[in-house]
Amino acid sequence: MSEIIVSGMRPTGHLHLGHYHGVLKNWLRLQDTAECYFFVADWHALTTHYETTQGISAAVWDLLIEWLAVGVDPDKAVLFIQSHVPQHAELALLLGMLTPLPWLERVPTFKDQQEKLRERDLATFGFLGYPLLMTADILLYDAHKVPVGADQVAHLEISRELARRFNSFYGRDAGATAQVEKGLQAMGKRAAKTFGALQQRFQQNGDALAVTEAMEFLEQQAGLSAGMREQLLARLEGKGREILREPQALLTSASKMPGLDGQKMSKSYGNTIPLRAAPEEVQKKIRTMPTDPARVLRTDPGTPEKCPVWALHQVYSGPETQSWVRDGCITAGIGCLDCKRPLIEAVLAEQAPIRERAEYWAARPEQLREIAQGGAQRARQRAEQTLERVRAAMGLAHERRGL
């Protein structure tokens, strides 16, 4: 069985070359080797832009167009729109029933986004509960792995913790429960209380050190059998029969795509080249890029490492062109506009087929809708299998037969 991969994007506007090199190229590799679910996260867009929703619908279709334009294939991967699969909302609701509030408040993005978006009122349940919806997005499809950068691993951790917590509550068998109860009795009230405090530190507050302390504490309890220690530790860690698969991070190399100013390409920095930018726009953006400040005059030598243009050459130019650029810069043998010309040509060559395919799909809205509808149907069927297990585990399978 091939691995299941889940990944999504919020519809926040047109994609840029940073998205292409940092995310979409990876998707193109994954769709050939894994069972992939790629979705447009339109509900997620509402968590920070609930009061300005006018552009979301158009952005959803633009995103699908650009995915198809770069080569994401609906015959190889399941492409769908999040809101077309209501199971995402149901699982998020059910997970919310067992999620401690401190878990949500300590998610890195909660405070980061509040700090970055001070001008917005983010004191909402939707924003606080964002990780629940994200977790539902992943767990619904029994994802083995989720593509993330090294700086995003912490964001995935809450999904792993929630899967463990769910399995701990609803995946217990009678034998394991009996072992836990015997173990607590054998420890005595005072020791059982200490164990309970360690369990709360880990399960409520996410204190990983509590697991290590619990292992040492259980070893010190002379009245416990090996089986009791094993089941008590499993209870503390939230381990039980697997109903929801605990996803793993698929670490992707950090995007090496620099922006027009040398920083990471990002809309926040205003330094992007849109994926579908017209040739005239691309030429203007690159021609007006800042260069090494030391090159005031054409005859002044420069240092490539201090120039944002050099950073883009490392993405788009081969060894021969890079050598020509370096030698020409440090000897003042070429001017800055000379240096930018092969870069402009390389970017335009990369974008040309993408623009052409984007125009093709933009002119076929009915086919786009068919792809989205077909993907949503496949996603719903897969998601429903997971929800059937969840409902049964939570005692909610009643009155569904025959409906």
Side-chain angles (χ1 to χ4, degrees):
M1 184 182 70
S2 61
E3 286 190 324
I4 299 172
I5 305 292
V6 175
S7 190
M9 285 187 183
R10 285 161 47 115
T12 57
H14 288 292
L15 300 180
H16 53 69
L17 293 179
H19 293 120
Y20 177 55
H21 287 270
V23 178
L24 293 175
K25 277 188 171 181
N26 190 41
W27 284 13
L28 297 181
R29 289 189 293 269
L30 289 171
Q31 70 179 2
D32 289 327
T33 59
E35 180 182 339
C36 294
Y37 293 83
F38 300 140
F39 66 96
V40 181
D42 54 342
W43 277 340
H44 283 300
L46 295 175
T47 59
T48 53
H49 292 76
Y50 58 86
E51 79 282 24
T52 53
T53 62
Q54 294 82 1
I56 290 179
S57 181
V60 164
W61 298 110
D62 283 336
L63 199 53
L64 275 175
I65 287 170
E66 290 172 339
W67 289 358
L68 294 168
V70 302
V72 179
D73 189 342
D75 290 329
K76 296 180 178 180
V78 180
L79 309 184
F80 65 97
I81 299 167
Q82 182 186 38
S83 63
H84 291 184
V85 185
Q87 287 88 345
H88 287 247
E90 183 178 348
L91 183 55
L93 172 69
L94 295 177
L95 290 173
M97 302 301 179
L98 54 108
T99 303
L101 276 176
W103 285 24
L104 300 177
E105 293 168 343
R106 65 178 167 82
V107 173
T109 47
F110 180 67
K111 291 183 179 178
D112 290 348
Q113 289 293 313
Q114 281 190 321
E115 186 67 24
K116 291 178 182 177
L117 301 173
R118 286 183 176 182
E119 73 282 2
R120 296 185 182 278
D121 178 11
L122 296 181
T124 63
F125 171 77
F127 183 71
L128 178 65
Y130 175 96
L132 294 174
L133 185 55
M134 177 192 73
T135 297
D137 297 335
I138 298 167
L139 301 187
L140 267 178
Y141 302 99
D142 284 332
H144 292 93
K145 293 181 179 177
V146 180
V148 293
D151 59 340
Q152 298 172 313
V153 173
H155 303 163
L156 180 62
E157 188 59 28
I158 190 171
S159 298
R160 292 162 49 79
E161 291 174 344
L162 284 171
R164 287 197 296 267
R165 186 172 173 84
F166 186 96
N167 293 336
S168 172
F169 285 145
Y170 306 111
R172 301 171 185 167
D173 58 53
T177 300
Q179 285 279 63
V180 169
E181 291 175 354
K182 287 180 181 179
L184 291 173
Q185 289 176 1
M187 289 164 62
K189 290 183 178 180
R190 181 176 294 182
K193 185 176 181 181
T194 300
F195 177 79
L198 289 168
Q199 182 175 356
Q200 183 174 11
R201 275 176 53 193
F202 178 69
Q203 293 191 356
Q204 299 290 333
N205 304 324
D207 184 354
L209 185 60
V211 177
T212 303
E213 293 179 18
M215 291 174 67
E216 296 173 352
F217 178 74
L218 291 174
E219 285 297 326
Q220 296 168 4
Q221 306 307 306
L224 297 180
S225 66
M228 290 175 184
R229 288 191 181 94
E230 180 183 350
Q231 291 302 331
L232 283 164
L233 189 61
R235 173 68 61 86
L236 182 141
E237 291 183 283
K239 293 180 178 177
R241 177 173 57 87
E242 186 178 84
I243 300 170
L244 293 175
R245 177 177 286 144
E246 187 177 331
Q248 304 296 318
L250 177 60
L251 288 174
T252 57
S253 58
S255 172
K256 297 180 180 178
M257 190 64 193
L260 296 168
D261 56 1
Q263 300 182 84
K264 179 182 178 180
M265 186 172 285
S266 169
K267 293 176 186 177
S268 302
Y269 300 145
N271 63 358
T272 65
I273 299 176
L275 188 62
R276 290 193 273 168
E280 299 78 15
E281 181 183 357
V282 174
Q283 291 180 38
K284 181 179 179 180
K285 281 179 174 287
I286 296 178
R287 282 178 178 274
T288 56
M289 281 181 67
T291 55
D292 181 358
R295 298 206 68 182
V296 178
L297 301 176
R298 166 66 176 77
T299 54
D300 292 332
T303 304
E305 287 74 18
K306 295 181 180 180
C307 179
V309 180
W310 171 248
L312 279 175
H313 271 296
Q314 291 179 296
V315 175
Y316 282 100
S317 300
E320 185 177 341
T321 300
Q322 288 188 31
S323 177
W324 172 78
V325 168
R326 173 175 284 282
D327 292 344
C329 181
I330 62 178
T331 63
I334 62 172
C336 292
L337 285 177
D338 298 325
C339 170
K340 292 173 179 178
R341 286 192 186 99
L343 186 58
I344 292 171
E345 292 173 2
V347 172
L348 291 177
E350 178 180 69
Q351 287 182 309
I354 295 174
R355 275 197 307 271
E356 183 178 348
R357 288 192 293 267
E359 290 173 2
Y360 172 90
W361 286 110
R364 291 163 173 78
E366 289 305 316
Q367 283 184 247
L368 268 183
R369 285 173 171 76
E370 288 175 7
I371 290 172
Q373 290 167 1
Q377 183 176 3
R378 292 167 64 188
R380 285 193 295 269
Q381 290 172 347
R382 188 68 179 79
E384 187 61 24
Q385 294 175 17
T386 300
L387 266 178
E388 285 178 359
R389 298 198 307 268
V390 169
R391 295 181 193 122
M394 297 182 78
L396 299 173
H398 51 279
E399 297 182 4
R400 286 185 176 271
R401 293 176 182 174
L403 292 181

